[in-house]
Amino acid sequence: TMAEVLVTDAPIDDVPLSVVVAPAPGLQNVARVPVVVEIPGQQLLEGVTGKNVTATVFIYAFDEKREVRDFMQQRIGLDLAKAGDALRKSGIRYIGALRLPAGQYAVKALVRVDETGRMGFLRSDVTVPSFTEMSILAPMAMGDPTGWVTLVNPSRGQDAAAVLSIGGQPFVPQARTAISSS
């Protein structure tokens, strides 16, 4: 079951995921932690025969005591006549932000495709600093915003957009990166 996967970190990669987690200062000792989940379209659509695809994205932050400190979930329904080409070429980028106090967390992303029951799961460990002193955060690769179906969590997307911007222009970090030798 999905709960079992979240608790045991059981490897599920029917729909392989990539995740970027990027803590940033927030208000009142609670950091804004943007999360970008990339879902490859080919694997998302595998076995889907209808004109629509419906999936649910679950993102949970577990603290060191294995207690849920924050979560997001969203049901996604897409018309394949409109979004099918973009899904097949790249996939979905889902963006939201957790709100977490300083500490160590296991951020767990789970995606389930309703039509097929296929799932993907990925755990990302992250340290959220207190931001009371200068902190150095991990670098992020800027992704190409075109070609993807980008979905922003309606209640938590603004927190992510506030952090994921340079000079007032939003960007989307790329979860899968490759460095060229040339």
Side-chain angles (χ1 to χ4, degrees):
T1 67
M2 291 185 295
E4 189 175 316
V5 171
L6 288 168
V7 172
T8 64
D9 296 343
I12 304 288
D13 62 357
D14 295 338
V15 181
L17 306 178
S18 298
V19 177
V20 174
V21 182
L27 301 173
Q28 301 171 342
N29 297 324
V30 177
R32 295 176 294 184
V33 184
V35 179
V36 178
V37 179
E38 288 182 356
I39 308 165
Q42 291 290 339
Q43 288 87 351
L44 178 78
L45 295 173
E46 190 174 311
V48 174
T49 58
K51 296 179 181 181
N52 299 297
V53 64
T54 306
T56 305
V57 177
F58 302 90
I59 301 170
Y60 289 87
F62 289 84
D63 65 13
E64 292 177 298
K65 295 177 185 175
R66 300 178 70 144
E67 295 176 358
V68 175
R69 295 301 300 259
D70 198 9
F71 72 94
M72 296 179 286
Q73 74 178 50
Q74 186 165 347
R75 188 175 174 92
I76 298 167
L78 296 172
D79 179 342
L80 295 178
K82 295 178 183 175
D85 287 342
L87 281 174
R88 287 179 195 88
K89 289 178 186 171
S90 52
I92 294 174
R93 279 192 179 139
Y94 177 79
I95 304 168
L98 298 167
R99 297 176 185 140
L100 301 169
Q104 300 285 331
Y105 296 93
V107 175
K108 300 179 182 189
L110 176 68
V111 173
R112 183 181 183 282
V113 181
D114 290 0
E115 288 80 5
T116 62
R118 299 176 75 244
M119 293 192 298
F121 170 79
L122 188 64
R123 173 188 169 140
S124 298
D125 294 325
V126 64
T127 299
V128 175
S130 66
F131 293 110
T132 56
E133 299 177 9
M134 186 170 293
S135 300
I136 297 175
L137 302 175
M140 286 187 274
M142 293 175 64
D144 180 3
T146 61
W148 287 82
V149 176
T150 301
L151 303 170
V152 179
N153 181 288
S155 62
R156 300 285 185 90
Q158 291 303 319
D159 280 352
V163 173
L164 301 175
S165 64
I166 297 175
Q169 295 298 313
F171 72 92
V172 177
Q174 183 172 330
R176 296 176 193 235
T177 58
I179 298 174
S180 173
S181 61
S182 55

